[in-house]
Amino acid sequence: MIKLSRENPSERYEELVEKYKTIHDKGLGYFNGKSLLKYISHVQQKLLVHECKSLLDYGSGKGLLYTDQCSEVYPLLSGGKPISRPLQELWNLTKHQCYDPAYEEHSVKPKGKFDAVISIDVLEHVNEDDLEWVLNEIFSYSTKMVFLNIACFKAAKHFEDGENVHISVFNPEWWFVLVSDIMKSYPGITTYLLCEKVGHLSDYVIKGGE
């Protein structure tokens, strides 16, 4: 069996990227980064703990929270507030990059390393067969910490053919086992894994090399 990778993803991966490109084309309100809003303080706390000054947002969508349009992005749930200044200023970063293969402006594969890599509301959108190489790619960019948020439920959004946009829906324990196994190859990296079920959040901390 041929091993899947960035250079050799599954046909399903490429099909999904094209589907997400179609959704992106609908306008700024689609995959603009609003999922990150409710985790800003969580991420900020971890960045401070690990003294992170550079960050990669992997699967950032349009990444509007890093632009002057940040105040126009509203939370998914009522009661939340938009931010008044871009995240890189709020988090006191000296370097940041957004990456998303389905959004042309951020589709160039990153180079180099970052203190922190975050991936919010992304992995459940990836085909199961490609999860291992995608996770390895995420970890390969980090020198200190990785912050993952994964939804463990079906989404409200659907593709035009009716398929739910959450492709890989598994329970938190399943994700914990997968991430823990991959983390063995990344000593020195700390991962914060937040798996969200309806009304419940499973919060794991996984140390590299264990």
Side-chain angles (χ1 to χ4, degrees):
M1 181 176 179
I2 299 176
K3 187 174 180 62
L4 298 178
S5 65
R6 166 62 62 191
E7 293 70 29
N8 183 48
S10 71
E11 291 183 5
R12 178 67 166 145
Y13 178 88
E14 295 179 323
E15 173 193 345
L16 288 170
V17 169
E18 292 304 313
K19 285 187 171 185
Y20 289 121
K21 286 180 179 179
T22 299
I23 295 179
H24 269 293
D25 290 341
K26 292 182 177 181
L28 288 178
Y30 293 87
F31 295 132
N32 60 14
K34 57 180 173 285
S35 297
L36 175 53
L37 275 170
K38 65 179 179 179
Y39 297 108
I40 287 176
S41 61
H42 288 74
V43 174
Q44 186 172 21
Q45 180 188 37
K46 307 309 189 272
L47 294 176
L48 289 171
V49 168
H50 295 279
E51 300 180 339
C52 297
K53 290 297 184 179
S54 60
L55 178 142
L56 170 65
D57 190 328
Y58 187 104
S60 63
K62 293 182 173 71
L64 294 189
L65 296 179
Y66 300 91
T67 73
D68 292 337
Q69 294 175 288
C70 61
S71 61
E72 300 174 23
V73 180
Y74 287 84
L76 291 168
L77 301 176
S78 61
K81 296 180 180 180
I83 59 175
S84 59
R85 54 189 177 131
L87 283 179
Q88 64 270 27
E89 296 181 14
L90 186 67
W91 289 339
N92 195 30
L93 299 174
T94 57
K95 172 187 173 184
H96 76 280
Q97 183 173 344
C98 292
Y99 172 65
D100 196 306
Y103 187 58
E104 185 175 0
E105 187 174 331
H106 299 147
S107 62
V108 176
K109 190 173 179 290
K111 295 180 180 179
K113 297 277 189 174
F114 301 80
D115 293 337
V117 181
I118 66 172
S119 189
I120 309 295
D121 190 16
V122 172
L123 292 172
E124 65 270 27
H125 294 268
V126 178
N127 176 43
E128 181 180 357
D129 290 343
D130 295 283
L131 283 172
E132 183 176 343
W133 73 258
V134 169
L135 278 164
N136 273 293
E137 186 168 89
I138 288 172
F139 288 119
S140 71
Y141 284 115
S142 175
T143 61
K144 293 183 178 181
M145 63 157 269
V146 170
F147 186 98
L148 305 173
N149 162 246
I150 304 169
C152 300
F153 51 83
K154 290 295 184 180
K157 291 188 183 73
H158 294 78
F159 295 116
E160 291 182 353
D161 60 8
E163 182 181 22
N164 197 279
V165 299
H166 284 183
I167 302 299
S168 294
V169 178
F170 304 106
N171 60 45
E173 293 75 21
W174 188 93
W175 287 107
F176 176 79
V177 170
L178 175 63
V179 174
S180 296
D181 186 56
I182 290 175
M183 280 297 295
K184 294 175 182 177
S185 300
Y186 299 91
I189 303 297
T190 300
T191 293
Y192 299 94
L193 172 63
L194 276 69
C195 294
E196 187 173 5
K197 299 179 73 173
V198 178
H200 179 71
L201 189 67
S202 297
D203 190 350
Y204 304 102
V205 180
I206 309 169
K207 303 289 186 179
E210 294 184 351

